[in-house]
Amino acid sequence: MPKNSKVTQHEQSNEHVTESVADLLGHEEPFDYKNSSLTIGGATGKKVPHIEVPENDGRPAWNSKLQYILAQVGFSVGLGNVWRFPYLCQKNGGGAYLVPYFILLLLIGIPLFFLELAVGQKIRRGSIGVWNYVCPRLGGIGVSSLMVCGFVGLYYNVIIGWSIFYFFQSFQYPLPWSECPIRKNGTMAIVEPECDKSSATTYFWYRQTLNTTSTIAESGGLNVKMTLSLLVAWIIVCLAVIKGIASSGKVMYFSSLFPYVVLFCFLVRGLMLKGSVDGIAHMFTPKLEKMLEPQVWREAATQVFFALGLGFGGVIAFSSYNKIDNNCHFDAVLVSFINFFTSILATLVVFAVLGFKANIMNEKCVLENTEKILGYLNSNVLSHELIPPHVNFSHLTTSDYAEMYEVIKAVKESSFAELGLEPCVLEDELNKAVQGTGLAFIAFTEAMTHFPASPFWSVMFFFMLINLGLGSMIGTMTGITTPVLDAYKVQKELFTVCCCIVAFLCGLLFVQRSGNYFVTMFDDYSAGLPLTIVVILENVSVAWIYGTKSFMQDLEDMLGFRPCLIYFYLWKYVSPFCLIVLISATVIEMAISPPGYNAWVQELAQERFQSYPPWALAMCFALVIVAMLPLPVVFIARHFNLMSDGSNKLSVSYRKSIMKDMSNLEEQDETRSILGAKPGEAPSSVLARRAYLAPGGHKPLDPNSLSPNSCYGTSYQNAAISPTTPTTPTSPVTPESDS
């Protein structure tokens, strides 16, 4: 211990010195409180009352392991599993895409997920506190993570609001998006032209739900229906997280499990539909040549990265409420594989339903083109001799139409284009890739209109989307509130309500008539690159600055067993390399892809790509810069000692428990003075240290381990007091890197 420390001064003088919490944390080490005893006057075995320390540090804890697992599953399994993963599978080689995805899940997904779980559980703080503790100069990691959570939460809850709107619209028969509306023009009734040019579900989405403008520059004012839906969404989220894990943990029992019930119901129902097998077969037919394309691996890595919620801070926040000896390695593997199999389940459901829809659309195509052919036959444009004799127009099959189409195309080669006939191939319908809102609110809703009892299935589907979104929003909000509540003495309920109110007001940007374009902007720019940089810095700070060997030792002390050696090489070499490649690919992609959005053009009744205007382009880059700005700012400020390192900041509840111990310390000091070896002489405070043993292990915790308790040293919390043992100075030691 440094000679001039306040604790040393306290032992060398009779003056009463009040140690600060930071001093105590800087020089103390862990010990076994309950088995401690005082050695008085050189004799052992005579015990005086030891310091009573609470069973925990006052931090909230999960009611059960199941509740915690469901929370992590609810956070990681979100809307992307339903509408992003199936699209990537279809786009990148079907079943062949699963190979690079699974490989990258093992190489970067599980190891980095395990790393975040471990540091959160060991240090027992939110993202800001964790990275301040591991490497104060990289403390900006936690702030950037919190800011990305804020950006994502703003637009993610808008999607929940859209789902809420569709959920309530589903309680009617027929469904409001099943048919195009009829416009009355005097005595005439005509189909709405915009709907007639597109489809009923497309029209309902763009015109009756979003009422979208044609460009991002046209605000169009607030959409009242979407504003009310967003308000309802934020009220639900606020009620779910207002009590912290005490309330959100109970919500997770339903919000995490209900989507699986719906997915299995949809799978069973989908497999009973005509054409569902065609969709699943198309989905999982591997195109092995796709595996050689770098783009496939980049998109697989990105999906692994975001599917597990890495870098958001929610994973760390949830794990910080665990017991110190919880087997977080098992949790990491379990949640990762649940996420993977959920994506496969969702893909089966989506393509079973889309296969059914493709058959419906293909039959509709055959019917429409058959009517054209009959018209050409009646007007003698086509000869009856071109029609194969076995073709029966009253019971025309798709194979009959395909044969007839090829014959007409061969005979009328020069003028075939003028006939306007379509091939009506099922494969073409299945190849129409849709993702995101286009899948959930257009393609899937259109398929459900053909279901028997379609309102029931629509209610179930959108209620599932609400719950999937709610689970992810709870994790996102926890990633925001936990770090702040750990660092500052604020009332949890009041702070949560204020966050939700501010987020709702900021979210009004997304419920303008042009709000859909801002959702696209935030989705493209606010999270991708910043989160990737956050995660690689997390990896580097643990593996290269703190040291992989030290971290592996901490894990052994915490878990009671040493994790597999492969994690050492994955954290130290493989994951950083993969993340650097991913960052490079992301930057290149952003550089070569023109920044823009798909705007809905009302006159054409279709989407058209448009470039962002200069002010919107500046906004895109501002999102990236603002999210990453805390990283260099905190680094520079702490490098030049312009701000404290924050490494000794504990939660308010933790500090309260420490202050209780300090009051007990004063009583202990009085006992020492009374029971000294000689009249008027207090016994020496130098302590024979008794290390806290990890569960199931025999190795003491490293005093430099990743634990807030590991800052505790040799002042008042050790096992025995000996008057004859000389004082051994101690000082905090920075864990040496194994690099």
Side-chain angles (χ1 to χ4, degrees), residues 12 149 156 187 190 225 329 349 475 499 510 558 623 643 669:
Q12 293 175 350
C149 276
Y156 202 88
T187 57
I190 59 173
K225 293 182 289 187
H329 176 256
V349 171
C499 282
F510 306 102
M558 182 170 68
L623 287 172
M643 64 185 294
D669 288 341

Side-chain angles (χ1 to χ4, degrees), residues 14 673-674 676-682:
N14 294 325
S673 299
I674 296 171
K678 298 178 182 179
E681 178 185 347

Side-chain angles (χ1 to χ4, degrees), residues 443-605:
F444 214 89
T445 51
E446 183 175 352
M448 287 188 295
T449 59
H450 301 288
F451 280 23
S454 55
F456 168 78
W457 293 104
S458 183
V459 167
M460 293 283 282
F461 176 71
F462 289 109
F463 195 37
M464 178 190 72
L465 291 188
I466 292 170
N467 280 276
L468 283 172
L470 180 60
S472 297
M473 273 303 298
I474 288 174
T476 302
M477 288 297 294
T478 306
I480 296 172
T481 57
T482 297
V484 177
L485 294 174
D486 281 348
Y488 302 102
K489 188 177 181 179
V490 293
Q491 187 179 356
K492 182 189 302 179
E493 292 80 2
L494 179 62
F495 177 70
T496 303
V497 171
C498 289
C499 282
C500 292
I501 292 173
V502 171
F504 168 71
L505 295 176
C506 294
L508 295 178
L509 172 70
F510 306 102
V511 290
Q512 305 173 90
R513 289 181 57 196
S514 60
N516 183 42
Y517 307 138
F518 288 99
V519 170
T520 302
M521 176 193 292
F522 272 65
D523 189 40
D524 290 341
Y525 290 94
S526 68
L529 184 60
L531 269 189
T532 313
I533 292 175
V534 162
V535 173
I536 192 172
L537 289 177
E538 289 181 357
N539 194 171
V540 168
S541 63
V542 171
W544 287 89
I545 298 176
Y546 180 76
T548 314
K549 289 180 181 177
S550 300
F551 187 55
M552 292 288 280
Q553 182 61 48
D554 287 337
L555 290 174
E556 183 176 1
D557 295 335
M558 182 170 68
L559 303 177
F561 64 90
R562 194 171 188 85
C564 182
L565 183 61
I566 193 173
Y567 284 109
F568 178 93
Y569 298 101
L570 290 175
W571 284 326
K572 196 167 182 63
Y573 303 110
V574 178
S575 296
F577 173 76
C578 291
L579 290 172
I580 289 172
V581 172
L582 180 58
I583 289 174
S584 304
T586 302
V587 171
I588 293 172
E589 179 74 15
M590 292 175 66
I592 64 176
S593 300
Y597 61 102
N598 290 319
W600 178 257
V601 182
Q602 184 174 2
E603 294 75 18
L604 302 176

Side-chain angles (χ1 to χ4, degrees), residues 290-522:
K290 284 279 190 179
M291 291 177 58
L292 301 177
E293 298 178 10
Q295 178 74 3
V296 173
W297 289 82
R298 186 188 73 82
E299 293 190 343
T302 304
Q303 180 62 18
V304 167
F305 187 83
F306 289 105
L308 294 174
L310 299 174
F312 281 94
V315 173
I316 293 176
F318 280 152
S319 65
S320 71
Y321 299 114
N322 264 333
K323 296 178 180 179
I324 193 68
D325 60 347
N326 175 63
N327 189 347
C328 54
H329 176 256
F330 172 80
D331 300 341
V333 176
L334 177 64
V335 174
S336 298
F337 278 101
I338 288 176
N339 188 293
F340 177 59
F341 289 118
T342 302
S343 297
I344 293 178
L345 174 62
T347 301
L348 287 171
V349 171
V350 166
F351 277 91
V353 174
L354 292 184
F356 164 70
K357 174 180 173 287
N359 269 269
I360 295 291
M361 300 305 295
N362 197 52
E363 289 175 357
K364 182 180 178 181
C365 176
V366 169
L367 181 62
E368 291 175 350
N369 284 272
T370 299
E371 291 177 353
K372 287 183 182 180
I373 293 174
L374 286 172
Y376 292 142
L377 290 173
N378 294 331
S379 60
N380 295 322
V381 174
L382 294 176
S383 170
H384 287 273
E385 296 177 356
L386 298 178
I387 309 302
H390 65 275
V391 171
N392 183 355
F393 279 97
S394 59
H395 295 90
L396 191 67
T397 64
T398 54
S399 58
D400 289 341
Y401 173 79
E403 183 180 354
M404 188 167 53
Y405 175 86
E406 293 298 330
V407 171
I408 295 173
K409 184 178 180 180
V411 174
K412 294 284 186 177
E413 185 176 357
S414 58
S415 59
F416 180 76
E418 299 174 2
L419 299 178
L421 298 178
E422 298 177 11
C424 299
V425 179
L426 181 63
E427 190 77 10
D428 294 341
E429 284 291 335
L430 291 170
N431 281 330
K432 291 180 179 178
V434 287
Q435 65 165 324
T437 54
L439 173 62
F441 298 104
I442 298 177
F444 214 89
T445 51
E446 183 175 352
M448 287 188 295
T449 59
H450 301 288
F451 280 23
S454 55
F456 168 78
W457 293 104
S458 183
V459 167
M460 293 283 282
F461 176 71
F462 289 109
F463 195 37
M464 178 190 72
L465 291 188
I466 292 170
N467 280 276
L468 283 172
L470 180 60
S472 297
M473 273 303 298
I474 288 174
T476 302
M477 288 297 294
T478 306
I480 296 172
T481 57
T482 297
V484 177
L485 294 174
D486 281 348
Y488 302 102
K489 188 177 181 179
V490 293
Q491 187 179 356
K492 182 189 302 179
E493 292 80 2
L494 179 62
F495 177 70
T496 303
V497 171
C498 289
C499 282
C500 292
I501 292 173
V502 171
F504 168 71
L505 295 176
C506 294
L508 295 178
L509 172 70
F510 306 102
V511 290
Q512 305 173 90
R513 289 181 57 196
S514 60
N516 183 42
Y517 307 138
F518 288 99
V519 170
T520 302
M521 176 193 292
F522 272 65

Side-chain angles (χ1 to χ4, degrees), residues 59-77 110 112-125 244-257 260 308-310 313-336 338 471-472 474-475 478 482 555 558-559:
R59 191 175 186 81
W62 298 103
N63 290 337
S64 66
K65 181 65 175 281
L66 175 62
Q67 190 181 73
Y68 165 67
I69 293 296
L70 290 178
Q72 290 287 14
V73 169
F75 177 51
S76 65
V77 175
I110 295 177
L112 293 176
F113 192 58
F114 180 26
L115 184 146
E116 288 201 357
L117 290 180
V119 296
Q121 180 174 307
K122 187 73 173 177
I123 301 176
R124 296 177 63 77
R125 303 184 216 173
I245 62 170
S247 56
S248 62
K250 294 180 176 63
V251 173
M252 286 296 187
Y253 280 115
F254 183 81
S255 65
S256 296
L257 294 175
Y260 289 96
L308 294 174
L310 299 174
V315 173
I316 293 176
F318 280 152
S319 65
S320 71
Y321 299 114
N322 264 333
K323 296 178 180 179
I324 193 68
D325 60 347
N326 175 63
N327 189 347
C328 54
H329 176 256
F330 172 80
D331 300 341
V333 176
L334 177 64
V335 174
S336 298
I338 288 176
S472 297
I474 288 174
T478 306
T482 297
L555 290 174
M558 182 170 68
L559 303 177

Side-chain angles (χ1 to χ4, degrees), residues 8-30:
T8 305
Q9 293 171 11
H10 177 72
E11 299 298 337
Q12 293 175 350
S13 68
N14 294 325
E15 271 183 60
H16 176 73
V17 179
T18 303
E19 294 89 353
S20 68
V21 174
D23 286 332
L24 292 171
L25 293 178
H27 306 296
E28 301 300 326
E29 294 177 0

